[in-house]
Amino acid sequence: MNVRHIRGVGSGILAVLSLAVCSAQVLPDQPDGAAKVISLTGQVSVLKDSQPWALNVGDTIQLRQVIVSGPDGFAQFQVSDGSTFEVYPNSNVVFRKNPGNWRDLLDVLVGRVKIHIQKWGGQPNPNRVLTPTAVISVRGTTFDVSVNDDDETTVVTVEEGVVDVRHALRPGATKTLTAGESLQVYRDQPLAQSFVDKGEVARRIMHGLVQAVYTAITNPGVRVARLPGGGSTGGGLPGQTPPPPPPPGPPPPPSAPPPSGGGH
C-alpha cells in the first residue's frame, strides 16, 4: 500500500467522522427532542390538556405542545442542534407539530416569532416554519415570521441568510428572500402577486430609534429599556411609549373676603 493510497483512506475516514459529527448535531440529544426555555419575561405558558401551565427558565417543551404568550410575554427557546426561536407577545405556536419530520420546527398560528437556525460547521441546516398561509424553508439563517390574527396574512422578514417562501394554499412558484428583504403572503392572493420589500429591516431599526429618542425627550426621568426585537419602553405594554404627564391644573380662585360688619 503506497503513501498516496494511505492518505486517500485517511481522508475518507475523516470525511465519514465529520459526517457522523454533523448527524449527531442534527438529531436530538434527548429522546423526545425537547426545546429548552433559556430566557423568559412576562406571561408565557404551554398548554397541557388544554390548560395553560406557566413556563420558567430551564423548563422544556415537548413535541406537539402549544406555546401561548400573553400581552407582556416573551421567551427564547433552544433545540438540540443549537438553533433558537423567540416567541413574542400575543402569539400561539406549535413546537414540532409533525414529529415524523425533524425539519418541521414550528407552526406559527398567530403572532410573531424570530428564528435563528444554527449551521453545522458552516453547512446548511434545512428547517421549515409553517403558517396558515405560508411554508418557509431555511438552510441556516435568522428571520422573523408574523401572522395576523384577523386574516392570517404572513409576513416573512430576513435578517441574515436566505429563505424560500411558498404559498401554503395556492400552488405556484417559490420566492427567495435574502438579508433585508420582506414578503407578505395573503390568504386569497397568489404568491406571484406579492411584492418583495427590500427595506423592512432598516425601517424596523429606525422605528425603534425614533421611539427611544421620543421617550428620552418627553420623559427625561424615565429609563428607556431595550425590548427584544427592537423598540423601547418606559413602562406599560411592550413597545408602547408612555404619554407625557398632563399639565398642571389652574390655581384655585382666591377666597372671597369676609363680609364687613356694620353698626346700626
Side-chain angles (χ1 to χ4, degrees):
M1 184 179 293
N2 57 35
V3 174
R4 181 177 298 178
H5 181 70
I6 293 175
R7 288 178 178 174
V9 173
S11 299
I13 294 174
L14 289 176
V16 172
L17 290 175
S18 298
L19 180 60
V21 170
C22 290
S23 299
Q25 292 176 343
V26 176
L27 295 177
D29 57 6
Q30 303 179 49
D32 55 7
K36 184 177 181 180
V37 182
I38 59 176
S39 175
L40 185 146
T41 59
Q43 180 184 356
V44 182
S45 305
V46 62
L47 297 184
K48 296 181 180 180
D49 297 326
S50 301
Q51 297 297 320
W53 289 69
L55 290 172
N56 297 287
V57 173
D59 289 347
T60 55
I61 302 298
Q62 308 300 327
L63 305 180
R64 295 180 174 173
Q65 287 194 316
V66 180
I67 304 166
V68 180
S69 60
D72 64 343
F74 168 83
Q76 184 179 37
F77 301 82
Q78 186 174 51
V79 296
S80 58
D81 67 357
S83 299
T84 61
F85 61 93
E86 301 171 6
V87 178
Y88 286 80
N90 297 317
S91 299
N92 193 316
V93 179
V94 186
F95 174 63
R96 296 202 192 279
K97 186 178 180 180
N98 179 17
N101 187 350
W102 288 106
R103 294 183 178 182
D104 289 351
L105 180 63
L106 298 176
D107 281 59
V108 184
L109 305 181
V110 67
R112 177 192 169 201
V113 299
K114 181 177 180 179
I115 301 109
H116 173 75
I117 300 299
Q118 185 71 31
K119 293 184 178 181
W120 327 323
Q123 298 302 312
N125 181 1
N127 276 265
R128 293 200 311 175
V129 175
L130 300 95
T131 78
T133 52
V135 178
I136 302 113
S137 300
V138 298
R139 299 181 289 273
T141 186
T142 303
F143 62 102
D144 272 49
V145 177
S146 299
V147 179
N148 188 286
D149 190 18
D150 296 327
D151 58 7
E152 297 181 332
T153 296
T154 297
V155 180
V156 183
T157 304
V158 179
E159 292 189 11
E160 179 186 351
V162 180
V163 306
D164 293 329
V165 183
R166 66 178 177 85
H167 206 292
L169 305 175
R170 294 174 173 265
T174 297
K175 287 202 173 186
T176 300
L177 305 180
T178 57
E181 295 184 337
S182 179
L183 177 69
Q184 292 193 18
V185 183
Y186 301 95
R187 168 176 283 278
D188 299 324
Q189 178 176 304
L191 195 62
Q193 299 178 10
S194 298
F195 171 72
V196 176
D197 189 341
K198 298 181 180 295
E200 177 63 21
V201 172
R203 281 195 296 273
R204 285 191 180 187
I205 295 174
M206 182 59 65
H207 178 71
L209 292 175
V210 170
Q211 279 191 320
V213 170
Y214 177 78
T215 301
I217 293 175
T218 58
N219 297 272
V222 176
R223 179 177 179 271
V224 180
R226 185 71 178 172
L227 286 174
S232 60
T233 179
L237 295 177
Q240 183 183 51
T241 302
S255 56
S260 58
H264 293 283

